[in-house]
Amino acid sequence: MSRPVVFVGPSLHGAAALERTDIEFLPPVRRGDIDALLARDAPPPAIGIVDGAFFQSLSVSPKEVLRALDVGVRLYGSSSIGALRAVECAPYGMVGVGQIYEAYQSGRINADDEVAITYDDETGRALSEPLVNLRFAVAAAEAAGVVDGALAERFLILAKRRYFPERTVALIVRDLAAEVGAGACEPLRRFLVETAPDTKRDDGLLLLDLVGSGGGAVPRPEWPPPVHA
C-alpha cells in the first residue's frame, strides 16, 4: 500500500519530523507534480501541500487538486501555497490546516506575496522571511507587551513595502530604526530573533500529523497567536 505524500521545502527545513517513514516527502510542488502522482500504479491515499514553486516555475493549479479529489485522494494544505490552494479548493473537499490557512480563509489576509520567500536551492534554507510569519510574530510581541500597537503596525507597513526577497528582520528593523531610533526597536528585534513563533513551520507540522494519522478534525487556530517562550 502506498504512503501519503507531502510536498515540503523551506517551511520545515531541518525539522526532525521529516525523518518519519510513514510519509513520502517530495520537494516543493510544481505544475504537473500531482498529476504525476495520480499516474503511479498505486497513487497515494493522501497528498499534503506545504511548499510550492511560485515564480521560478509554474505553480500547482487548482485543477490538479480537483482531479486528485475526483479520484478519491485526500488533499491537505497549509503554511504557504498549500494554504492558498486549500482556500480555493475547500468547497470541493480540500482540507486547510493551521493558522495561515485560517487567516486567508477569513479574509484577514489575501495577497499571495504574504507567503512568498526566496530560498537556497541546495540547502533548502529560507533567505527571506514570509510576511505572514512576521504578522503572527508581531501580534505575539504585542500580546506579550514587547511592543505597542503603533510600532507594531509601522513595522508591518515597512515590511509590506519591501519586495519579498528583501523581507528580513534585519532590513525591516533598519527601516523602522531610521524613523524611531534603534533603541525603540531593540525589544521587538530581540523578540523576533529569539522568541517569535514560526507559524509556517507550526502549520506544516500540524499537517504532517493529520496526513500521517489519516486525517481527522482540524483544530481551529487561536487569534492572536499564543506567545512561544
Side-chain angles (χ1 to χ4, degrees):
M1 183 175 178
S2 60
R3 295 175 293 169
V5 169
V6 175
F7 293 97
V8 67
S11 293
L12 292 180
H13 175 72
L18 297 180
E19 298 177 5
R20 57 191 295 174
T21 59
D22 58 330
I23 296 173
E24 177 185 353
F25 294 103
L26 294 178
V29 67
R30 301 170 186 263
R31 181 76 56 87
D33 285 349
I34 291 180
D35 286 339
L37 292 179
L38 299 183
R40 289 180 174 181
D41 291 338
I47 297 171
I49 301 175
V50 176
D51 294 304
F54 274 93
F55 296 98
Q56 64 269 44
S57 65
L58 291 175
S59 61
V60 62
S61 70
K63 288 184 177 180
E64 285 182 82
V65 171
L66 297 179
R67 284 194 286 270
L69 291 169
D70 284 345
V71 298
V73 178
R74 300 188 306 277
L75 264 293
Y76 300 84
S78 77
S79 305
S80 190
I81 197 169
L84 294 174
R85 292 296 175 264
V87 169
E88 295 167 333
C89 298
Y92 309 100
M94 187 172 183
V95 177
V97 180
Q99 298 182 85
I100 293 171
Y101 164 77
E102 176 67 16
Y104 273 112
Q105 191 276 335
S106 67
R108 289 198 299 270
I109 59 174
N110 54 35
D112 289 0
D113 83 322
E114 291 274 347
V115 295
I117 61 166
T118 55
Y119 62 94
D120 187 310
D121 282 328
E122 292 186 4
T123 67
R125 184 181 296 277
L127 301 177
S128 61
E129 191 73 26
L131 180 57
V132 69
N133 260 15
L134 294 173
R135 290 192 187 280
F136 280 97
V138 170
E142 187 175 355
V146 173
V147 63
D148 62 33
L151 195 64
E153 181 179 5
R154 190 61 189 162
F155 177 91
L156 292 174
I157 289 172
L158 293 172
K160 179 68 174 177
R161 285 182 181 175
R162 280 196 171 271
Y163 185 42
F164 77 89
E166 299 176 345
R167 285 182 186 142
T168 66
V169 169
L171 288 178
I172 300 164
V173 167
R174 188 183 71 182
D175 294 342
L176 187 61
E179 296 183 359
V180 302
C185 300
E186 182 58 17
L188 176 59
R189 186 199 68 79
R190 289 188 61 186
F191 183 90
L192 294 175
V193 171
E194 300 174 2
T195 309
D198 184 340
T199 308
K200 267 195 172 187
R201 189 180 188 88
D202 292 344
D203 286 0
L205 292 173
L206 178 57
L207 180 143
L208 296 189
D209 287 340
L210 287 170
V211 170
S213 67
V218 180
R220 294 181 65 83
E222 299 178 48
W223 185 269
V227 176
H228 291 210

